[in-house]
PDB file of all heavy atoms in Angstrom:
ATOM      1  N   VAL A 200       5.737 107.572  57.095  1.00 96.00           N
ATOM      2  CA  VAL A 200       6.848 108.256  57.698  1.00 96.00           C
ATOM      3  C   VAL A 200       6.629 109.743  57.759  1.00 96.00           C
ATOM      4  O   VAL A 200       6.105 110.318  56.796  1.00 96.00           O
ATOM      5  CB  VAL A 200       8.179 108.022  56.918  1.00 96.00           C
ATOM      6  CG1 VAL A 200       9.327 108.835  57.505  1.00 96.00           C
ATOM      7  CG2 VAL A 200       8.540 106.518  56.936  1.00 96.00           C
ATOM      8  N   ASN A 201       6.967 110.348  58.874  1.00 95.00           N
ATOM      9  CA  ASN A 201       6.956 111.834  59.007  1.00 95.00           C
ATOM     10  C   ASN A 201       8.362 112.209  59.447  1.00 95.00           C
ATOM     11  O   ASN A 201       8.779 111.992  60.556  1.00 95.00           O
ATOM     12  CB  ASN A 201       5.968 112.262  60.076  1.00 95.00           C
ATOM     13  CG  ASN A 201       5.938 113.773  60.126  1.00 95.00           C
ATOM     14  OD1 ASN A 201       5.432 114.434  59.212  1.00 95.00           O
ATOM     15  ND2 ASN A 201       6.372 114.332  61.231  1.00 95.00           N
ATOM     16  N   GLY A 202       9.156 112.712  58.477  1.00 92.00           N
ATOM     17  CA  GLY A 202      10.530 113.138  58.769  1.00 92.00           C
ATOM     18  C   GLY A 202      11.554 112.151  58.242  1.00 92.00           C
ATOM     19  O   GLY A 202      12.252 111.493  58.988  1.00 92.00           O
ATOM     20  N   TYR A 203      11.603 112.030  56.893  1.00 89.00           N
ATOM     21  CA  TYR A 203      12.614 111.181  56.291  1.00 89.00           C
ATOM     22  C   TYR A 203      14.002 111.830  56.541  1.00 89.00           C
ATOM     23  O   TYR A 203      14.129 113.033  56.573  1.00 89.00           O
ATOM     24  CB  TYR A 203      12.440 111.117  54.761  1.00 89.00           C
ATOM     25  CG  TYR A 203      11.186 110.390  54.324  1.00 89.00           C
ATOM     26  CD1 TYR A 203      10.114 111.168  53.864  1.00 89.00           C
ATOM     27  CD2 TYR A 203      11.047 109.043  54.377  1.00 89.00           C
ATOM     28  CE1 TYR A 203       8.905 110.584  53.480  1.00 89.00           C
ATOM     29  CE2 TYR A 203       9.858 108.421  54.022  1.00 89.00           C
ATOM     30  CZ  TYR A 203       8.830 109.184  53.524  1.00 89.00           C
ATOM     31  OH  TYR A 203       7.671 108.577  53.130  1.00 89.00           O
ATOM     32  N   ILE A 204      14.982 110.982  56.754  1.00 85.00           N
ATOM     33  CA  ILE A 204      16.383 111.470  56.901  1.00 85.00           C
ATOM     34  C   ILE A 204      17.167 111.022  55.716  1.00 85.00           C
ATOM     35  O   ILE A 204      17.282 109.806  55.418  1.00 85.00           O
ATOM     36  CB  ILE A 204      17.014 110.914  58.183  1.00 85.00           C
ATOM     37  CG1 ILE A 204      16.203 111.376  59.408  1.00 85.00           C
ATOM     38  CG2 ILE A 204      18.415 111.406  58.314  1.00 85.00           C
ATOM     39  CD1 ILE A 204      16.069 112.872  59.575  1.00 85.00           C
ATOM     40  N   THR A 205      17.690 111.931  54.957  1.00 79.00           N
ATOM     41  CA  THR A 205      18.518 111.582  53.773  1.00 79.00           C
ATOM     42  C   THR A 205      19.920 111.193  54.224  1.00 79.00           C
ATOM     43  O   THR A 205      20.590 111.967  54.902  1.00 79.00           O
ATOM     44  CB  THR A 205      18.586 112.775  52.809  1.00 79.00           C
ATOM     45  OG1 THR A 205      17.270 113.157  52.396  1.00 79.00           O
ATOM     46  CG2 THR A 205      19.372 112.432  51.591  1.00 79.00           C
ATOM     47  N   THR A 206      20.293 109.983  53.875  1.00 71.00           N
ATOM     48  CA  THR A 206      21.590 109.425  54.367  1.00 71.00           C
ATOM     49  C   THR A 206      22.770 110.215  53.820  1.00 71.00           C
ATOM     50  O   THR A 206      23.665 110.610  54.605  1.00 71.00           O
ATOM     51  CB  THR A 206      21.703 107.963  53.976  1.00 71.00           C
ATOM     52  OG1 THR A 206      20.570 107.230  54.536  1.00 71.00           O
ATOM     53  CG2 THR A 206      23.019 107.397  54.455  1.00 71.00           C
ATOM     54  N   ASP A 207      22.788 110.489  52.551  1.00 70.00           N
ATOM     55  CA  ASP A 207      23.930 111.195  51.930  1.00 70.00           C
ATOM     56  C   ASP A 207      23.456 112.499  51.317  1.00 70.00           C
ATOM     57  O   ASP A 207      22.831 112.492  50.238  1.00 70.00           O
ATOM     58  CB  ASP A 207      24.578 110.287  50.909  1.00 70.00           C
ATOM     59  CG  ASP A 207      25.928 110.857  50.419  1.00 70.00           C
ATOM     60  OD1 ASP A 207      26.199 112.023  50.707  1.00 70.00           O
ATOM     61  OD2 ASP A 207      26.648 110.130  49.681  1.00 70.00           O
ATOM     62  N   GLN A 208      23.709 113.559  51.964  1.00 67.00           N
ATOM     63  CA  GLN A 208      23.239 114.878  51.517  1.00 67.00           C
ATOM     64  C   GLN A 208      23.920 115.350  50.215  1.00 67.00           C
ATOM     65  O   GLN A 208      23.448 116.224  49.512  1.00 67.00           O
ATOM     66  CB  GLN A 208      23.404 115.939  52.598  1.00 67.00           C
ATOM     67  CG  GLN A 208      22.602 115.678  53.836  1.00 67.00           C
ATOM     68  CD  GLN A 208      21.130 115.766  53.604  1.00 67.00           C
ATOM     69  OE1 GLN A 208      20.694 116.361  52.620  1.00 67.00           O
ATOM     70  NE2 GLN A 208      20.331 115.176  54.484  1.00 67.00           N
ATOM     71  N   LYS A 209      25.085 114.738  49.912  1.00 69.00           N
ATOM     72  CA  LYS A 209      25.804 115.125  48.702  1.00 69.00           C
ATOM     73  C   LYS A 209      25.234 114.519  47.460  1.00 69.00           C
ATOM     74  O   LYS A 209      25.537 114.952  46.349  1.00 69.00           O
ATOM     75  CB  LYS A 209      27.303 114.707  48.835  1.00 69.00           C
ATOM     76  CG  LYS A 209      27.993 115.418  50.009  1.00 69.00           C
ATOM     77  CD  LYS A 209      29.461 114.948  50.098  1.00 69.00           C
ATOM     78  CE  LYS A 209      30.178 115.605  51.278  1.00 69.00           C
ATOM     79  NZ  LYS A 209      31.577 115.175  51.415  1.00 69.00           N
TER      80      LYS A 209
END
Side-chain angles (χ1 to χ4, degrees):
V200 175
N201 184 69
Y203 297 104
I204 301 299
T205 302
T206 301
D207 189 350
Q208 297 294 341
K209 297 180 180 179

